[in-house]
Amino acid sequence: MSRIGKKPVTIPSGVEVKVTDANVLVVKGPKGELQQEINKDINIEIEGSEVRFVRPSDHKDHRSLHGLYRALTQNMVTGVSEGYKKSLELIGVGFKASVQGQLLDLDLGYSHRILFQVPAEIKVSAETAKGKAPVVTIEGVDKQLVGQVAAKVRSFRKPEPYKGKGVKYVGEEIRRKAGKAAGKK
Protein backbone atom coordinates (compact mmCIF):
# COMPACT_ATOMS: atom_id res chain seq x y z
CA MET A 1 0.00 0.00 0.00
CA SER A 2 1.06 3.55 -0.66
CA ARG A 3 2.18 5.09 2.61
CA ILE A 4 0.82 8.47 1.52
CA GLY A 5 -2.41 7.00 0.13
CA LYS A 6 -3.16 5.10 3.36
CA LYS A 7 -3.08 8.25 5.52
CA PRO A 8 -6.52 9.86 5.86
CA VAL A 9 -6.95 13.57 5.11
CA THR A 10 -8.30 15.34 8.20
CA ILE A 11 -10.88 18.03 7.50
CA PRO A 12 -10.51 21.09 9.76
CA SER A 13 -13.59 22.93 11.07
CA GLY A 14 -15.06 25.37 8.55
CA VAL A 15 -14.06 23.20 5.57
CA GLU A 16 -16.65 21.17 3.67
CA VAL A 17 -15.72 18.23 1.39
CA LYS A 18 -18.17 16.50 -0.93
CA VAL A 19 -18.10 14.28 -4.02
CA THR A 20 -20.43 14.97 -6.94
CA ASP A 21 -21.91 12.13 -8.99
CA ALA A 22 -19.46 12.96 -11.82
CA ASN A 23 -16.60 11.90 -9.47
CA VAL A 24 -15.47 15.48 -8.84
CA LEU A 25 -14.16 16.27 -5.36
CA VAL A 26 -15.31 19.73 -4.18
CA VAL A 27 -13.59 21.39 -1.21
CA LYS A 28 -15.15 24.59 0.21
CA GLY A 29 -13.57 26.68 2.94
CA PRO A 30 -13.28 30.21 4.31
CA LYS A 31 -10.73 31.24 1.64
CA GLY A 32 -12.51 29.80 -1.40
CA GLU A 33 -13.54 26.67 -3.29
CA LEU A 34 -11.47 24.13 -5.26
CA GLN A 35 -12.46 21.20 -7.47
CA GLN A 36 -10.52 18.12 -8.56
CA GLU A 37 -11.68 15.40 -10.92
CA ILE A 38 -10.95 11.95 -9.46
CA ASN A 39 -10.36 8.81 -11.54
CA LYS A 40 -13.43 6.54 -11.42
CA ASP A 41 -11.30 3.58 -10.24
CA ILE A 42 -10.32 5.28 -6.96
CA ASN A 43 -13.08 5.22 -4.31
CA ILE A 44 -13.50 8.15 -1.91
CA GLU A 45 -14.87 7.57 1.59
CA ILE A 46 -15.87 10.59 3.69
CA GLU A 47 -16.32 9.60 7.34
CA GLY A 48 -16.90 12.40 9.85
CA SER A 49 -13.88 14.70 9.62
CA GLU A 50 -11.71 12.36 7.53
CA VAL A 51 -11.40 11.57 3.83
CA ARG A 52 -9.94 8.19 2.81
CA PHE A 53 -8.97 6.91 -0.63
CA VAL A 54 -9.36 3.22 -1.47
CA ARG A 55 -7.88 1.60 -4.55
CA PRO A 56 -9.46 -1.52 -6.08
CA SER A 57 -6.24 -3.45 -6.82
CA ASP A 58 -2.44 -3.32 -6.67
CA HIS A 59 -2.19 -2.55 -10.38
CA LYS A 60 0.57 -0.02 -11.17
CA ASP A 61 -1.91 2.65 -12.37
CA HIS A 62 -4.05 2.30 -9.23
CA ARG A 63 -1.00 2.49 -6.95
CA SER A 64 0.22 5.69 -8.61
CA LEU A 65 -3.20 7.39 -8.48
CA HIS A 66 -3.81 6.38 -4.84
CA GLY A 67 -1.12 8.61 -3.32
CA LEU A 68 -1.59 11.33 -5.95
CA TYR A 69 -5.25 12.01 -5.15
CA ARG A 70 -4.59 11.92 -1.40
CA ALA A 71 -1.80 14.53 -1.77
CA LEU A 72 -3.92 16.72 -4.08
CA THR A 73 -6.83 16.59 -1.61
CA GLN A 74 -4.55 17.52 1.31
CA ASN A 75 -3.25 20.50 -0.71
CA MET A 76 -6.83 21.57 -1.50
CA VAL A 77 -7.90 21.36 2.17
CA THR A 78 -4.84 23.36 3.28
CA GLY A 79 -5.42 25.91 0.50
CA VAL A 80 -9.06 26.69 1.34
CA SER A 81 -8.36 26.82 5.09
CA GLU A 82 -4.95 28.59 5.31
CA GLY A 83 -3.96 29.49 1.74
CA TYR A 84 -0.54 29.41 0.07
CA LYS A 85 2.03 32.17 -0.20
CA LYS A 86 5.32 32.63 -2.09
CA SER A 87 7.62 35.63 -1.86
CA LEU A 88 10.14 36.70 -4.48
CA GLU A 89 13.03 39.15 -4.05
CA LEU A 90 14.27 41.37 -6.89
CA ILE A 91 18.05 41.62 -6.45
CA GLY A 92 19.71 44.20 -8.69
CA VAL A 93 20.35 47.92 -9.11
CA GLY A 94 17.20 49.70 -10.29
CA PHE A 95 14.98 46.60 -10.13
CA LYS A 96 11.40 47.67 -9.33
CA ALA A 97 7.98 46.08 -8.98
CA SER A 98 4.50 47.58 -8.77
CA VAL A 99 0.96 46.24 -8.98
CA GLN A 100 -2.07 47.85 -10.63
CA GLY A 101 -5.07 45.57 -10.06
CA GLN A 102 -4.12 42.18 -11.56
CA LEU A 103 -1.24 43.62 -13.62
CA LEU A 104 2.30 43.14 -12.25
CA ASP A 105 4.74 45.74 -13.62
CA LEU A 106 8.40 44.66 -13.34
CA ASP A 107 11.52 46.66 -14.18
CA LEU A 108 14.34 44.10 -14.28
CA GLY A 109 17.15 45.95 -16.03
CA TYR A 110 16.03 45.24 -19.58
CA SER A 111 15.42 47.97 -22.15
CA HIS A 112 11.67 47.52 -21.55
CA ARG A 113 9.34 46.95 -18.59
CA ILE A 114 7.67 43.57 -18.17
CA LEU A 115 3.88 43.63 -17.74
CA PHE A 116 2.51 40.33 -16.40
CA GLN A 117 -1.23 39.64 -16.20
CA VAL A 118 -1.84 37.68 -12.98
CA PRO A 119 -4.73 35.12 -12.97
CA ALA A 120 -7.91 36.26 -11.19
CA GLU A 121 -7.59 33.57 -8.47
CA ILE A 122 -4.19 34.93 -7.36
CA LYS A 123 -3.60 37.96 -5.13
CA VAL A 124 -0.28 39.71 -5.76
CA SER A 125 1.37 42.54 -3.86
CA ALA A 126 4.69 44.39 -4.20
CA GLU A 127 6.47 46.22 -1.42
CA THR A 128 9.64 48.29 -1.56
CA ALA A 129 11.46 49.28 1.62
CA LYS A 130 14.30 51.80 1.53
CA GLY A 131 17.67 50.06 1.47
CA LYS A 132 16.14 46.62 0.82
CA ALA A 133 15.35 44.66 -2.34
CA PRO A 134 11.74 44.90 -3.61
CA VAL A 135 9.60 41.90 -2.59
CA VAL A 136 6.72 40.49 -4.67
CA THR A 137 4.26 38.34 -2.65
CA ILE A 138 1.96 35.87 -4.43
CA GLU A 139 -1.00 34.42 -2.48
CA GLY A 140 -3.85 32.08 -3.37
CA VAL A 141 -5.77 28.90 -2.48
CA ASP A 142 -4.46 26.70 -5.32
CA LYS A 143 -0.94 25.45 -4.50
CA GLN A 144 -0.15 24.56 -8.11
CA LEU A 145 -1.27 27.94 -9.48
CA VAL A 146 0.64 29.90 -6.81
CA GLY A 147 3.81 27.95 -7.60
CA GLN A 148 3.30 28.29 -11.35
CA VAL A 149 2.85 32.09 -11.19
CA ALA A 150 5.88 32.42 -8.89
CA ALA A 151 8.01 30.32 -11.25
CA LYS A 152 6.85 32.40 -14.23
CA VAL A 153 7.81 35.67 -12.49
CA ARG A 154 11.18 34.17 -11.51
CA SER A 155 11.77 33.07 -15.12
CA PHE A 156 11.73 36.70 -16.33
CA ARG A 157 15.25 37.09 -14.88
CA LYS A 158 16.67 34.05 -13.09
CA PRO A 159 19.45 34.74 -10.57
CA GLU A 160 22.89 34.57 -12.15
CA PRO A 161 25.79 32.88 -10.30
CA TYR A 162 28.41 35.67 -10.41
CA LYS A 163 26.73 38.67 -8.76
CA GLY A 164 23.47 36.98 -7.72
CA LYS A 165 21.33 39.50 -9.64
CA GLY A 166 17.85 38.46 -10.68
CA VAL A 167 14.52 37.34 -9.23
CA LYS A 168 14.84 34.74 -6.46
CA TYR A 169 12.59 33.18 -3.84
CA VAL A 170 12.98 34.63 -0.33
CA GLY A 171 15.35 32.30 1.48
CA GLU A 172 16.69 30.69 -1.72
CA GLU A 173 20.45 30.08 -1.74
CA ILE A 174 22.21 30.97 -4.99
CA ARG A 175 25.32 28.93 -5.80
CA ARG A 176 28.00 31.49 -6.49
CA LYS A 177 30.94 31.18 -8.89
CA ALA A 178 34.35 32.76 -8.49
CA GLY A 179 34.55 34.70 -11.75
CA LYS A 180 37.69 34.96 -13.82
CA ALA A 181 41.04 35.28 -12.09
CA ALA A 182 43.39 38.15 -12.95
CA GLY A 183 46.09 37.28 -15.52
CA LYS A 184 49.66 36.54 -14.36
CA LYS A 185 52.48 38.84 -15.50
Side-chain angles (χ1 to χ4, degrees), residues 31-49:
K31 297 226 175 207
E33 178 182 326
L34 290 171
Q35 296 183 345
Q36 175 65 47
E37 194 173 320
I38 305 288
N39 190 307
K40 62 185 179 336
D41 294 340
I42 304 296
N43 296 322
I44 306 159
E45 297 172 354
I46 301 171
E47 304 158 356
S49 66

Side-chain angles (χ1 to χ4, degrees), residues 1-136:
M1 281 290 267
S2 163
R3 282 186 292 192
I4 294 173
K6 274 196 288 189
K7 265 177 82 176
V9 177
T10 55
I11 305 167
S13 60
V15 176
E16 183 185 322
V17 178
K18 65 180 180 184
V19 182
T20 64
D21 46 341
N23 233 26
V24 175
L25 189 74
V26 181
V27 181
K28 283 184 190 170
K31 297 226 175 207
E33 178 182 326
L34 290 171
Q35 296 183 345
Q36 175 65 47
E37 194 173 320
I38 305 288
N39 190 307
K40 62 185 179 336
D41 294 340
I42 304 296
N43 296 322
I44 306 159
E45 297 172 354
I46 301 171
E47 304 158 356
S49 66
E50 286 187 342
V51 180
R52 291 182 186 277
F53 292 89
V54 182
R55 65 178 187 226
S57 71
D58 273 347
H59 189 269
K60 187 177 181 182
D61 294 343
H62 294 156
R63 286 199 321 258
S64 64
L65 293 174
H66 190 214
L68 169 75
Y69 287 129
R70 191 263 173 214
L72 289 175
T73 305
Q74 179 64 58
N75 290 342
M76 290 164 64
V77 168
T78 305
V80 297
S81 59
E82 299 165 27
Y84 288 101
K85 180 178 174 179
K86 289 228 181 212
S87 297
L88 298 152
E89 271 183 310
L90 280 59
I91 310 284
V93 177
F95 284 16
K96 295 184 202 113
S98 62
V99 178
Q100 295 94 26
Q102 289 297 100
L103 195 68
L104 179 63
D105 184 1
L106 298 167
D107 195 348
L108 300 176
Y110 295 118
S111 60
H112 58 282
R113 294 191 344 244
I114 296 168
L115 298 173
F116 179 63
Q117 184 66 43
V118 180
E121 303 88 28
I122 297 292
K123 184 175 162 261
V124 67
S125 63
E127 56 186 70
T128 308
K130 190 162 177 73
K132 290 188 177 173
V135 176
V136 176

Side-chain angles (χ1 to χ4, degrees), residues 116-175:
F116 179 63
Q117 184 66 43
V118 180
E121 303 88 28
I122 297 292
K123 184 175 162 261
V124 67
S125 63
E127 56 186 70
T128 308
K130 190 162 177 73
K132 290 188 177 173
V135 176
V136 176
T137 306
I138 298 161
E139 295 178 86
V141 293
D142 190 348
K143 185 176 187 178
Q144 181 190 351
L145 191 59
V146 169
Q148 188 176 354
V149 170
K152 180 70 177 170
V153 172
R154 184 179 184 271
S155 74
F156 292 138
R157 185 147 207 161
K158 288 186 177 167
E160 51 92 25
Y162 298 102
K163 289 185 176 179
K165 286 170 47 173
V167 180
K168 72 177 192 84
Y169 295 111
V170 172
E172 179 185 6
E173 291 292 321
I174 307 297
R175 285 191 57 195

